[in-house]
């Protein structure tokens, strides 16, 4: 096989090669070296064994299946056939949108097209028999349409599925999209955003995108396969891009400080600068965009990092673009219990039903108690818990909410659940009759606390929006 043809084969299949140059020919005519090519990087039997996915990293890749031409897929994430929130999740998502609108922010949901659908032509014959691509395509399109019917701004991303992946939308053995996939998505998103009234009044700037060399990728699925099967796969190289503001533009406000971007992007590692999704959007929309995405943050990482921030508090964007992967659980009740109070500022503008301030000790701490001669009518479905710790760097804490009927609800406060100021917000449970239970007390169980750690705890009624409370207080 000649070198040029061999390189094309390697690019297509991701094979490794071994070989030696041949001996000189008898007629002394110069000859290109030839190589022997052996198949590389086929999954081993361990990849088909669920018990082999025994670490937190490997559990994110259950189960790896072999595609064609060096492609790998995850059966649980890439080959899903059901998408979008359930009915309760959709109601909670609508509550989140309403909370953002009260802050003057319009939400745009960018639910990526599923990787298995975009590259179903790279599935093996056996996987095509198992994976119901028609059902997946219908479910994905229906999920986007349900969100639109509920009042959300959702770009026409199902159009990308009809166009197909063209072998360049996602990496062949990595769960991220390529810069080309990010560009194609940005085109569809920008087309929809330009129709929004909130966009029409935004000041324009000119951004220019240019090529920036090659982006080499060691696939995340290859990393999982290496741990399972022991082989090293070759890197995949794609064209990368960078977007920059053209020329010098006066972006100063009245005090000489830069104007905050009117659009914010939150999302996953797919919004990492390496793929230039935010950059493509800036060029297409001609608007400055704050990229507040978090790599490895999952569904809640970016929202629960950006929304409590001073940036959001002081300068909420006109448009919030939320990029998320289609397998994320939009029906996660705990996510909404946390994110909606974060958007609305917790108990800051609400009168406290109960409050306390105390220094914590290791072991059990009773922080709030609904008693002392009178039990207040504090139904869980109405209440919001607002905890502020003096130290934002704490070990894992265990909370126990007790109710007057003897039932309880336990929650863990992980170190990364606290915002930068040490605050934790959550609504009390509303599901499975919990909403009708009367709050009795809050315990905090802790070990290895830093000395002198204090907590300010408040319980307040979440039903009345802060703006309404403010208006009522201003009345004579």
């Amino acid at each position: 096989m000649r070198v040029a043809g061999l390189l094309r084969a390697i690019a297509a299949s991701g094979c490794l090669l071994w070989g030696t140059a041949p001996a000189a020919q008898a007629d002394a005519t110069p000859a290109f070296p030839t190589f022997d090519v052996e198949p590389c990087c086929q999954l081993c039997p361990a990849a088909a064994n669920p018990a082999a996915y025994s670490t937190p990293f490997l559990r994110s890749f259950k189960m790896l299946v072999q595609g064609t031409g060096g492609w790998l897929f995850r059966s649980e994430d890439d080959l899903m056939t059901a998408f979008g929130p359930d009915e309760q999740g959709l109601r909670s998502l609508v509550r989140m949108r309403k909370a953002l609108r009260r802050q003057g922010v319009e939400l745009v949901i960018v639910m990526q097209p599923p990787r298995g659908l975009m590259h179903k032509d790279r599935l093996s014959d056996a996987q095509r028999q198992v994976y119901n691509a028609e059902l997946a395509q219908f479910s994905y399109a229906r999920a986007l349409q349900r969100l639109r019917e509920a009042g959300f701004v959702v770009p026409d991303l199902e159009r990308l599925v009809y166009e197909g992946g063209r072998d360049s939308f996602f990496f062949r053995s990595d769960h991220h999209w390529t810069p080309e996939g990010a560009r194609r998505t940005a085109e569809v998103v920008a087309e929809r955003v330009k129709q929004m009234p909130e966009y029409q009044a935004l000041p324009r700037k000119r951004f220019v995108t240019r090529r920036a060399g090659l982006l080499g990728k060691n696939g995340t699925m290859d990393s999982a396969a290496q741990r399972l099967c022991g082989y090293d796969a070759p890197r995949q190289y794609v064209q990368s891009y960078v977007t920059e503001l053209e020329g010098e533009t006066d972006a100063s406000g009245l005090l000489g400080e830069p104007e905050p971007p009117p659009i914010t992007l939150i999302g996953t590692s797919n919004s990492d600068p390496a793929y230039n999704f935010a950059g493509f959007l800036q060029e297409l929309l001609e608007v400055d965009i704050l990229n507040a995405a978090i790599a490895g943050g999952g569904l809640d990482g970016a929202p629960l990092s950006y929304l409590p921030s001073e940036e959001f508090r002081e300068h909420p964007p006109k448009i919030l673009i939320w990029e998320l992967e289609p397998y994320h659980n939009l029906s996660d009740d705990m996510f909404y219990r946390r994110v909606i109070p974060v958007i609305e500022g917790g108990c800051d503008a609400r009168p406290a039903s109960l409050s306390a301030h105390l220094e914590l000790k290791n072991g059990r701490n009773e922080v709030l108690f609904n008693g002392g001669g009178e039990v207040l009518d504090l139904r869980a479905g109405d209440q919001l818990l607002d905890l502020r710790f003096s130290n934002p760097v704490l070990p894992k804490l265990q909370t126990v909410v007790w109710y007057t009927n003897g039932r309880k609800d336990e929650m863990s406060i992980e170190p990364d659940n606290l915002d930068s100021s040490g605050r934790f917000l959550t609504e009390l449970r509303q599901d499975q009759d919990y909403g009708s239970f009367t709050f009795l007390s809050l315990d905090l169980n802790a070990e290895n606390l830093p000395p002198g750690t204090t907590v300010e705890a408040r319980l307040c009624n979440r039903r009345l929006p802060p703006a309404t409370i403010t208006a009522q207080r201003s009345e004579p």
Side-chain angles (χ1 to χ4, degrees):
M1 180 183 291
R2 296 299 184 187
V3 172
L6 176 61
L7 292 177
R8 285 193 296 270
I10 294 170
S13 65
C15 294
L16 297 178
L17 54 143
W18 300 262
T20 56
Q25 297 181 2
D27 60 4
T29 302
F32 290 107
T34 60
F35 298 86
D36 295 324
V37 179
E38 298 179 8
C40 166
C41 312
Q42 296 294 308
L43 291 176
C44 60
N49 179 9
Y53 297 80
S54 56
T55 68
F57 174 79
L58 288 175
R59 283 194 288 271
S60 299
F61 295 92
K62 291 178 67 174
M63 302 263 294
L64 290 180
V65 295
Q66 189 78 52
T68 63
W71 281 75
L72 295 177
F73 295 89
R74 300 163 297 174
S75 61
E76 291 191 2
D77 290 337
D78 296 332
L79 306 182
M80 290 175 60
T81 56
F83 305 96
D86 58 22
E87 290 304 317
Q88 179 56 49
L90 184 58
R91 287 192 290 271
S92 297
L93 191 58
V94 168
R95 286 183 57 220
M96 176 181 171
R97 185 198 69 213
K98 290 179 177 178
L100 285 168
R101 282 182 171 175
R102 285 192 285 270
Q103 306 297 323
V105 181
E106 186 61 54
L107 180 64
V108 178
I109 295 181
V110 179
M111 185 189 294
Q112 298 175 25
R115 187 170 175 272
L117 273 182
M118 293 301 293
H119 296 289
K120 59 181 180 292
D121 58 316
R122 284 299 183 175
L123 293 169
S124 67
D125 290 340
Q127 287 301 321
R128 290 182 192 180
Q129 296 297 318
V130 175
Y131 177 52
N132 191 334
E134 290 185 1
L135 176 60
Q137 185 165 326
F138 171 81
S139 176
Y140 175 65
R142 179 60 186 142
L144 298 185
Q145 185 58 30
R146 284 179 66 229
L147 292 173
R148 294 186 191 109
E149 292 170 354
F152 291 92
V153 177
V154 180
D156 187 19
L157 296 169
E158 53 267 67
R159 199 170 77 205
L160 297 172
V161 176
Y162 302 139
E163 294 173 1
R166 305 175 193 166
D167 255 13
S168 61
F169 195 94
F170 287 98
F171 288 94
R172 64 172 173 250
S173 56
D174 189 275
H175 68 280
H176 297 99
W177 56 25
T178 65
E180 173 65 14
R183 181 190 64 78
R184 290 171 60 191
T185 305
E187 290 173 348
V188 177
V189 173
E191 183 179 305
R192 178 64 183 89
V193 170
K194 287 179 179 180
Q195 301 171 17
M196 298 174 62
E198 295 80 4
Y199 170 79
Q200 304 302 323
L202 299 183
R204 304 291 196 270
K205 301 178 182 179
R206 180 170 171 77
F207 292 86
V208 178
T209 299
R210 59 177 175 82
R211 293 173 181 265
L214 295 179
L215 172 63
K217 194 71 175 175
N218 290 318
T220 51
M221 289 174 229
D222 281 330
S223 297
Q226 193 277 332
R227 300 186 192 194
L228 292 167
C229 301
Y231 67 72
D232 289 319
R235 304 185 85 190
Q236 182 179 358
Y237 290 88
V238 297
Q239 180 65 56
S240 67
Y241 300 88
V242 64
T243 301
E244 299 168 332
L245 183 64
E246 183 180 67
E248 293 294 329
T249 300
D250 182 10
S252 297
L254 296 177
L255 300 179
E257 298 180 354
E259 289 286 347
I263 297 179
T264 295
L265 169 65
I266 56 174
T268 69
S269 52
N270 282 284
S271 293
D272 187 277
Y275 313 116
N276 201 48
F277 181 52
F280 291 128
L281 286 173
Q282 287 184 130
E283 181 183 37
L284 293 163
L285 293 173
E286 298 181 303
V287 171
D288 197 12
I289 294 175
L290 172 65
N291 188 352
I294 292 184
L299 174 72
D300 57 1
L304 290 175
S305 175
Y306 169 68
L307 294 173
S309 70
E310 183 178 349
E311 179 75 30
F312 178 77
R313 291 278 132 231
E314 299 295 327
H315 306 288
K318 299 297 183 184
I319 297 172
L320 181 66
I321 298 176
W322 189 14
E323 168 265 311
L324 54 97
E325 291 169 305
Y327 52 79
H328 280 149
N329 184 8
L330 285 171
S331 301
D332 183 356
D333 176 63
M334 193 63 204
F335 167 69
Y336 297 111
R337 286 171 58 187
R338 294 188 59 206
V339 75
I340 294 173
V342 162
I343 295 169
E344 296 190 330
C347 292
D348 284 347
R350 295 176 167 92
S353 308
L354 295 173
S355 64
H357 186 278
L358 72 156
E359 183 173 336
L360 297 175
K361 64 181 187 298
N362 288 319
R364 175 180 172 271
N365 299 265
E366 184 178 78
V367 178
L368 294 173
F369 177 63
N370 182 14
E374 179 184 5
V375 177
L376 302 176
D377 185 16
L378 302 177
R379 302 299 174 91
D382 300 332
Q383 300 303 312
L384 161 64
L385 181 63
D386 190 334
L387 302 176
R388 294 175 185 261
F389 296 92
S390 59
N391 190 337
V393 182
L394 294 175
K396 180 178 177 180
L397 302 170
Q398 191 72 19
T399 70
V400 184
V401 176
W402 290 94
Y403 299 99
T404 55
N405 60 4
R407 300 282 293 276
K408 65 179 179 178
D409 178 27
E410 299 185 37
M411 295 179 289
S412 293
I413 302 179
E414 305 287 344
D416 58 358
N417 288 162
L418 300 175
D419 68 18
S420 59
S421 66
R423 192 178 191 185
F424 177 82
L425 293 165
T426 182
E427 297 173 348
L428 299 190
R429 281 184 66 172
Q430 303 161 46
D431 62 315
Q432 300 177 6
D433 296 329
Y434 273 84
S436 63
F437 296 172
T438 300
F439 174 89
L440 177 63
S441 65
L442 168 69
D443 291 345
L444 273 177
N445 299 315
E447 298 296 336
N448 302 314
L449 277 174
T453 299
T454 62
V455 62
E456 179 184 351
R458 285 183 289 174
L459 195 72
C460 60
N461 192 313
R462 70 172 184 84
R463 295 289 187 183
L464 203 57
T468 304
I469 295 172
T470 301
Q472 288 184 348
R473 287 178 175 173
S474 66
E475 291 177 358

